């Protein structure tokens, strides 16, 4: 058959089923261990002369289906599903960098990622070299931080929570020149709107908790790359640190992925409409949305994304105090962290998701105290606008 479109691949996309009972939806293999036929069979599997499942920390048929699906969606060779987005990020970075090494990362990233890089990797004598928003668009500035102990480059685009967009192709060219992998956290865009591996990145990571699962009911993570790379990460980290995902969670992510295209279209349309409305509101001083013509990185977003995603950040006149009033007075929007759910969520990065940064670090990363982050759901955009209008009028 002719190559499938992305929309069709999201629904079908993999041909394997591990079931013999012709289910439309594959069963959940909730088992920790797998029976051997006899002692020789067990020994052969351990030696690698026979293929087969042994133990769910190492591999599981339901988890395999999710991994195959994610490799197809990201156009990579192979994927690893993990217990959370953070465990995916920790696994990749600790597999690639060892004490004495360094890496170059954008300073505007998920708060947990920042804390992991800045505290835990530093404690292991692995040095993060952060690049601030004013310089991440400059090839020379990125290049300046790379030396022969640099083991990877790392970015999030669009970035959490400022919605900065970073040029994947440009960073990938720096990575190639220096023979190191570029890792892209693709959580905000999802595999439907952006495919970093096609743009030269070597590894994609996701918090599957967000758009991939899409229903706010699980925590999970994904790593995608070449087979050589994922085999290396498994051997070097996954097998013995053990960040395995539950087969039940893997199954829920697979179920969520079926509607990814529909959801991302609606999230993106809602976000654009709400961002345009916010931009025109007299009490709103700033709106950050890559789909707006006024966004400084709009041209990069247009080049590397299919649509602009469901995340919007904004500031209101009166800064933090005024922003708190909005968050405390919305009725439809839900005051909660996380993102990518069907419900619209609203939160305050400086005191919540990005409180892992000091005030100075936040300032350098462009995360102002007044910034409010919205994750647009799939409700009717006019209802969301009415809710925000009411909260802003109080
Ligand atoms: C939530 C998030 C993470 C962390 O993922 P968890 O599943 O919560 O561990 C990493 N990166 C981004 C961009 C996120 O939004």
């Amino acid at each position: 058959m002719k190559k499938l479109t992305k929309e069709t691949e999201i629904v079908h996309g993999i041909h394997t089923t591990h079931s013999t009972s012709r289910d439309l939806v594959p069963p959940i293999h909730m088992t920790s261990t797998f029976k051997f036929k006899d002692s020789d069979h067990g020994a052969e599997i351990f030696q690698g002369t026979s293929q087969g499942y042994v133990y769910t920390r190492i591999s599981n048929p339901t988890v395999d289906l999710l991994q195959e699906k994610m490799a197809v969606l990201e156009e990579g060779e192979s994927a690893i599903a993990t217990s959370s987005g953070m465990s995916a990020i920790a696994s990749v970075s600790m597999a690639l960098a060892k004490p004495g090494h360094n890496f170059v990362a954008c300073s505007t990233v998920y708060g947990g990622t920042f804390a992991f890089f800045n505290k835990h990797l530093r404690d292991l004598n692995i040095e993060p070299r952060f690049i601030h928003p004013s310089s991440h668009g400059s090839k020379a500035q990125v290049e300046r931080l790379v030396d022969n102990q640099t083991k990877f480059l790392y970015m999030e685009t669009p970035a959490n929570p400022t919605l900065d967009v970073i040029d994947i192709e440009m960073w990938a060219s720096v990575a190639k020149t220096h023979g190191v992998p570029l890792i892209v956290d693709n959580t905000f865009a999802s595999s439907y709107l952006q495919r970093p591996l096609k743009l030269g990145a070597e590894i994609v990571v996701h918090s599957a908790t967000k758009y991939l699962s899409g229903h706010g009911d699980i925590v999970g993570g994904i790593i995608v790359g070449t087979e050589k790379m994922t085999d290396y990460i498994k051997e070097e980290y996954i097998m013995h640190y053990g960040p395995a995902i539950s087969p039940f969670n893997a199954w829920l992510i697979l179920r969520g992925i079926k509607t990814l295209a529909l959801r991302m279209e609606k999230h993106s349309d809602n976000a654009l409409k709400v961002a345009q409305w916010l931009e025109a509101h007299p009490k709103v001083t700033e709106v950050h949305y890559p789909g707006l013509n006024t966004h400084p990185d709009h041209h990069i977003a247009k080049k590397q994304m299919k649509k602009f995603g469901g995340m919007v950040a904004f500031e209101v006149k009166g800064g933090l105090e005024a922003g708190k009033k909005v968050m405390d007075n919305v009725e439809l929007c839900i005051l909660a962290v996380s993102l990518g759910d069907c419900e619209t969520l609203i939160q305050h990065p400086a005191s919540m998701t990005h409180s892992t940064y000091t005030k100075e670090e936040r300032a350098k990363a462009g995360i102002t105290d007044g910034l409010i982050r919205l994750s647009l759901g799939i409700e009717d955009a006019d209802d969301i606008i009415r809710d925000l209008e009411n909260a802003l009028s109080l």
Side-chain angles (χ1 to χ4, degrees):
M1 212 161 111
K2 191 166 139 279
K3 189 168 167 13
L4 302 173
T5 63
K6 210 31 84 187
E7 285 86 340
T8 308
E9 270 184 353
I10 284 170
V11 179
H12 297 270
I14 50 174
H15 304 288
T16 334
T17 165
H18 295 271
S19 167
T20 51
S21 47
R22 297 176 289 106
D23 325 67
L24 169 64
V25 175
I28 314 172
H29 291 262
M30 287 302 282
T31 182
S32 50
T33 195
F34 297 83
K35 295 186 253 185
F36 299 129
K37 291 177 202 150
D38 54 33
S39 50
D40 282 345
H41 179 228
E44 283 164 18
I45 290 181
F46 268 85
Q47 273 162 18
T49 51
S50 236
Q51 294 291 309
Y53 294 105
V54 171
Y55 188 64
T56 285
R57 191 180 72 247
I58 314 294
S59 58
N60 171 284
T62 311
V63 176
D64 272 3
L65 288 180
L66 172 60
Q67 293 176 163
E68 287 165 31
K69 184 81 161 195
M70 283 311 301
V72 169
L73 296 196
E74 287 289 349
E75 301 183 42
E77 286 174 15
S78 171
I80 306 170
T82 61
S83 56
S84 69
M86 279 316 302
S87 69
I89 293 161
S91 303
V92 171
S93 43
M94 289 179 72
L96 293 174
K98 305 294 169 188
H101 294 154
N102 69 67
F103 61 98
V104 177
C106 292
S107 67
T108 318
V109 288
Y110 174 68
T113 306
F114 182 77
F116 177 71
F117 287 172
N118 198 40
K119 160 89 177 80
H120 302 277
L121 289 185
R122 255 191 226 287
D123 284 350
L124 296 174
N125 191 27
I126 298 168
E127 181 203 352
R129 297 183 169 177
F130 289 115
I131 183 154
H132 300 306
S134 55
S135 323
H136 64 212
S138 151
K139 191 169 177 171
Q141 294 282 358
V142 181
E143 207 126 44
R144 200 175 53 79
L145 295 176
V146 180
D147 64 22
N148 60 10
Q149 293 303 306
T150 302
K151 294 301 164 182
F152 61 86
L153 310 186
Y154 187 97
M155 68 152 77
E156 238 175 56
T157 183
N160 188 354
T162 56
L163 281 305
D164 287 352
V165 177
I166 298 136
D167 191 330
I168 299 173
E169 271 178 327
M170 187 273 273
W171 275 59
S173 78
V174 176
K176 285 225 162 62
T177 308
H178 295 273
V180 294
L182 168 64
I183 304 168
V184 177
D185 182 334
N186 203 23
T187 301
F188 263 39
S190 89
S191 325
Y192 177 65
L193 297 180
Q194 176 172 275
R195 278 179 293 287
L197 301 179
K198 296 293 278 182
L199 301 168
E202 232 178 289
I203 301 171
V204 164
V205 291
H206 279 274
S207 169
T209 314
K210 316 292 169 54
Y211 289 110
L212 293 176
S213 85
H215 294 74
D217 46 14
I218 59 97
V219 170
I222 301 287
I223 303 163
V224 192
T226 59
E227 198 157 340
K228 190 168 163 221
M229 181 61 86
T230 54
D231 280 353
Y232 172 78
I233 295 166
K234 274 186 214 160
E235 282 294 322
E236 192 62 28
Y237 189 96
I238 300 277
M239 299 271 265
H240 299 120
Y241 283 82
I245 189 169
S246 159
F248 184 52
N249 287 358
W251 186 88
L252 280 172
I253 298 168
L254 274 169
R255 184 167 85 148
I257 285 174
K258 285 194 192 186
T259 56
L260 182 68
L262 290 174
R263 286 186 287 106
M264 292 317 297
E265 289 283 344
K266 181 73 171 165
H267 288 302
S268 301
D269 292 348
N270 279 356
L272 182 61
K273 202 164 174 188
V274 170
Q276 283 168 341
W277 177 82
L278 283 169
E279 205 175 32
H281 195 287
K283 281 198 185 167
V284 174
T285 53
E286 292 235 29
V287 182
H288 305 264
Y289 184 64
L292 294 174
N293 295 329
T294 48
H295 189 287
D297 307 321
H298 180 62
H299 62 291
I300 307 171
K302 256 195 346 211
K303 183 177 79 162
Q304 65 191 29
M305 299 176 77
K306 184 182 167 75
K307 280 193 170 183
F308 305 101
M311 301 300 296
V312 174
F314 68 101
E315 282 198 50
V316 291
K317 216 178 264 172
L320 177 57
E321 281 315 307
K324 276 169 88 168
K325 214 162 135 193
V326 174
M327 288 184 285
D328 290 337
N329 284 294
V330 284
E331 289 173 9
L332 178 68
C333 302
I334 295 167
L335 182 59
V337 298
S338 200
L339 59 108
D341 295 333
C342 294
E343 298 85 353
T344 296
L345 305 180
I346 189 166
Q347 69 110 3
H348 178 233
S351 70
M352 298 174 187
T353 50
H354 292 71
S355 58
T356 52
Y357 289 65
T358 63
K359 198 173 165 56
E360 296 72 50
E361 285 163 346
R362 273 200 301 277
K364 279 194 231 163
I367 307 164
T368 51
D369 280 347
L371 199 72
I372 297 174
R373 194 189 76 183
L374 265 180
S375 166
L376 278 304
I378 58 168
E379 305 96 333
D380 187 308
D382 291 336
D383 286 334
I384 302 166
I385 288 173
R386 259 195 303 278
D387 189 33
L388 291 169
E389 185 161 39
N390 181 54
L392 277 164
S393 73
L394 296 172

